[in-house]
Amino acid sequence: PQIRMEHGPFPEVVPARKVTVVGSELVESYTVYIIDVTDGLHRWTVKHRYSDFYELHEKLTAEKKVDRHLLPPKKILGKNSKSLVERRQKELELYLQTLLQQFPEATPTPLAYFLHFHLYEINGITAALAEELFHKGEQLLQAGEVFSLRPLQLYSVSQQLRLATPTCLSGDARTDLGHILDFTCRLRYLKISGSRGPVGTSNIQETSLPFDLSVFKSLLQIEISDCSSQQIQGLPSLRASLATLNLHRSTESMMSVLVAEASEFPQWEPEGAEPGCPVTALVPIWRHLTTLDMSHNRIGAVDDSVKLIPKVEFLDLSYNQLSSVENLQHLYSLVHVDLSYNRLRSLEAAHTRLGNIKTLSLAGNQLETLSGLSKLYSLVNLDLSHNQLAQLEEIRNIGALPCLEKLNLSSNPMCIIPDYRTKVLAQFGDRAAEVSLDCRATTEKELDTVEVLKAIQKAKEVKDRMSSSDKKISEDSRASAAPPASSSSSSSSCPSQGNHVCIRLCLAEGISCWTAQTDPVSSH
């Protein structure tokens, strides 16, 4: 028999499988034989004691598939002696090689499981999956549960579909490939978990195995982790149904996932768009995609592939390598955005790109200013924790946001400022009671302190205005023989004393006044 080896997206023909007993080891009181199995470029190790061989042989002879005398006999005396072990090692290798020659294509199920074909070999993997779905597939579909597959399993199914072989090599209807195809056509929730490093005892690297997702016709949600975007084929076929796409530790760009066609057509536009220049392809949009989670990747830019996801409401790009945020103006349905743990230093004119979002996480960046957030008027929840915000004045940029209810500033340099909480809450004026700061509701004591700070601030503002007015009047008085009454009243009744400033609140045209002395330090 021949199988295929990798070359390009899918393999070429290479020599077939072989088996070798390469050694043995003593475990407690019995000998375990170490078997190397080779299938094209894939190799793996299996360990069995003689009793396992005997059990396999009993199953095969019961099915009348092999000669009963093919297996070397069991010996009791000196069973662990070096000479016997070495001789038996060669005899068992010959036994296995004879079996593989006798069953070049349709490997009997007991032999396939004995050599771990169900874990590492294409036919064995698909047969095991088909039998599992024969028994449980309908129940899983009815329950609407998430079904998990490995890239190696998907690779095996993709390979089987490309090979001109029967869908049921073993003759056992339970292992027919049709059970897999029926299941994948109807499955709604899929999780694909890859691995870094070899699979099990094999040399198989899952990230090098291409697989095709076009067999899934009804997916609403897919989660892919620890794969490579280069190995994922058929993603465009999911555009018609997918509502949620989660991709982690698998890509360096959004383009390679959202616009797989870009590798062939560098000049593309979304379907329905008015192309401004000659294009080589009109690419269908993701019609139902509302949630996109591409956190924990190595994405360095928000490229224009987001033009294809206009209906996304929840966007998670946390734990990437973003130093700026572009192109989000194309996502006019955005409600929740997570840009935490990137490399952002500022976010200028955020309202021009983030529209009417309600939740924004910028935690774990390098922000020093909030000047670009002042017009996010729909914002309800804002996470700015673990940044470089040091100046309380920056809070003024978000203090007038009318809908803000939850603000997280924890682990910023400003948090060490005395009375930090009340000074931040005071920036929200009459809305201070409505704001939860750092996951803590505002207390009555804090609100009382906020009211005092607000009164002091207002008094300071009045004092500053009057000071400016007095200066102007003083200048006018030098040029006039009849200075206004408010000028003399102002200059005579409010002397400054020591380190205190005198603040006047005029209640009615300077006739009735209230005077307070405050410490200029505390007024800040």
Side-chain angles (χ1 to χ4, degrees):
Q2 293 181 323
I3 67 162
R4 299 177 178 242
M5 67 177 271
E6 285 183 49
H7 178 71
F10 287 96
E12 300 288 342
V13 174
V14 296
R17 55 179 79 120
K18 65 178 182 179
V19 60
T20 309
V21 181
V22 295
S24 63
E25 59 188 24
L26 193 63
V27 177
E28 296 180 353
S29 61
Y30 55 86
T31 301
V32 172
Y33 296 92
I34 303 169
I35 307 161
D36 270 4
V37 185
T38 302
D39 183 37
L41 293 180
H42 296 163
R43 299 191 315 276
W44 62 92
T45 300
V46 182
K47 294 182 179 181
H48 286 296
R49 56 191 295 186
Y50 179 83
S51 60
D52 297 332
F53 281 88
Y54 184 82
E55 185 179 338
L56 166 67
H57 190 62
E58 287 294 305
K59 291 178 181 177
L60 293 176
T61 54
E63 297 174 8
K64 298 183 179 178
K65 292 188 175 180
V66 299
D67 182 353
R68 176 168 291 276
H69 303 292
L70 185 60
L71 182 69
K74 186 174 183 180
K75 291 185 171 61
I76 303 300
L77 296 176
K79 62 179 180 179
N80 293 329
S81 67
K82 184 177 180 181
S83 59
L84 173 63
V85 168
E86 289 177 350
R87 186 169 70 253
R88 178 169 282 178
Q89 185 174 309
K90 294 177 183 178
E91 292 171 344
L92 293 176
E93 179 178 309
L94 180 60
Y95 171 74
L96 293 174
Q97 289 174 346
T98 303
L99 291 178
L100 286 182
Q101 290 171 5
Q102 186 173 339
F103 306 105
E105 293 182 353
T107 308
T109 301
L111 178 58
Y113 275 85
F114 183 88
L115 295 177
H116 289 186
F117 282 6
H118 64 295
L119 299 178
Y120 305 115
E121 189 264 344
I122 291 171
N123 296 321
I125 290 170
T126 52
L129 179 59
E131 185 169 357
E132 177 187 357
L133 296 177
F134 171 80
H135 291 294
K136 299 194 302 184
E138 195 63 37
Q139 178 184 346
L140 292 170
L141 291 171
Q142 292 298 324
E145 295 178 0
V146 176
F147 190 69
S148 295
L149 287 169
R150 298 190 65 87
L152 180 54
Q153 291 173 299
L154 288 166
Y155 166 76
S156 299
V157 173
S158 301
Q159 286 296 91
Q160 284 280 62
L161 292 173
R162 283 166 171 76
L163 296 174
T165 56
T167 58
C168 185
L169 277 173
S170 68
D172 184 348
R174 295 173 299 179
T175 63
D176 194 298
L177 191 62
H179 300 309
I180 299 176
L181 299 182
D182 175 66
F183 183 81
T184 58
C185 280
R186 299 159 59 199
L187 184 66
R188 288 175 294 174
Y189 308 101
L190 174 64
K191 181 177 181 178
I192 303 171
S193 301
S195 60
R196 303 292 176 180
V199 178
T201 64
S202 75
N203 67 339
I204 299 172
Q205 299 282 344
E206 284 193 300
T207 53
S208 68
L209 302 177
F211 56 84
D212 192 343
L213 296 176
S214 60
V215 295
F216 297 94
K217 308 297 184 184
S218 306
L219 280 185
L220 300 178
Q221 174 182 314
I222 187 170
E223 178 180 340
I224 304 173
S225 59
D226 296 297
C227 292
S228 164
S229 57
Q230 285 76 29
Q231 75 183 115
I232 306 171
Q233 314 286 326
L235 266 174
S237 66
L238 305 183
R239 289 187 183 131
S241 64
L242 205 64
T244 299
L245 170 58
N246 301 331
L247 187 84
H248 311 298
R249 298 178 297 280
S250 299
T251 189
E252 295 181 1
S253 80
M254 300 179 72
M255 183 78 70
S256 62
V257 176
L258 299 176
V259 195
E261 299 90 340
S263 60
E264 297 181 59
F265 306 105
Q267 254 91 46
W268 62 270
E269 285 290 339
E271 62 178 357
E274 292 292 335
C277 60
V279 296
T280 56
L282 289 175
V283 181
I285 65 171
W286 296 75
R287 296 190 176 279
H288 302 288
L289 194 67
T290 56
T291 298
L292 177 62
D293 182 350
M294 297 184 75
S295 60
H296 296 273
N297 283 291
R298 296 184 300 278
I299 297 171
V302 181
D303 54 48
D304 58 1
S305 64
V306 295
K307 292 178 181 178
L308 293 188
I309 52 172
K311 295 187 178 180
V312 163
E313 299 174 5
F314 179 98
L315 178 65
D316 188 345
L317 293 174
S318 61
Y319 293 92
N320 276 288
Q321 299 173 7
L322 299 174
S323 56
S324 64
V325 180
E326 308 296 338
N327 289 306
L328 291 186
Q329 69 272 15
H330 299 296
L331 305 183
Y332 39 79
S333 299
L334 275 182
V335 178
H336 307 283
V337 179
D338 192 340
L339 298 172
S340 59
Y341 296 93
N342 278 280
R343 301 173 180 177
L344 300 173
R345 292 186 175 275
S346 64
L347 204 63
E348 295 303 323
H351 63 285
T352 62
R353 292 184 290 268
L354 296 173
N356 298 318
I357 62 168
K358 294 183 178 180
T359 301
L360 176 61
S361 178
L362 295 168
N365 281 283
Q366 299 161 31
L367 297 175
E368 297 180 359
T369 177
L370 302 179
S371 59
L373 308 182
S374 60
K375 295 183 179 180
L376 294 176
Y377 298 126
S378 300
L379 201 58
V380 176
N381 191 339
L382 178 60
D383 188 351
L384 295 166
S385 60
H386 297 275
N387 275 282
Q388 300 299 318
L389 298 168
Q391 304 300 320
L392 284 171
E393 288 76 11
E394 290 298 326
I395 307 303
R396 294 177 184 174
N397 291 300
I398 56 175
L401 296 181
C403 300
L404 192 63
E405 296 177 1
K406 295 181 180 179
L407 174 63
N408 192 345
L409 291 167
S410 60
S411 299
N412 275 284
M414 68 168 61
C415 295
I416 64 172
I417 295 174
D419 301 321
Y420 142 80
R421 281 183 58 85
T422 50
K423 289 177 180 177
V424 168
L425 291 167
Q427 304 286 339
F428 291 89
D430 295 336
R431 292 195 63 250
E434 301 170 25
V435 177
S436 167
L437 177 60
D438 299 343
C439 305
R440 285 169 50 196
T442 306
T443 64
E444 288 298 325
K445 182 178 179 181
E446 287 174 334
L447 286 176
D448 291 343
T449 307
V450 166
E451 288 302 316
V452 172
L453 290 175
K454 283 162 57 180
I456 291 173
Q457 182 63 27
K458 288 179 181 177
K460 181 177 181 299
E461 290 170 358
V462 170
K463 181 259 181 185
D464 289 343
R465 284 199 302 271
M466 292 187 64
S467 209
S468 175
S469 174
D470 287 352
K471 182 179 179 182
K472 184 176 183 301
I473 292 170
S474 177
E475 290 173 353
D476 291 345
S477 67
R478 293 192 190 99
S480 171
S486 61
S487 173
S488 62
S489 171
S490 172
S491 60
S492 62
S493 60
C494 268
S496 67
Q497 300 177 1
N499 291 328
H500 293 71
V501 294
C502 185
I503 300 170
R504 161 171 304 189
L505 296 178
C506 292
L507 303 178
E509 298 182 354
I511 298 172
S512 176
C513 298
W514 173 77
T515 300
Q517 290 185 350
T518 61
D519 189 334
V521 176
S522 65
S523 69
H524 296 290

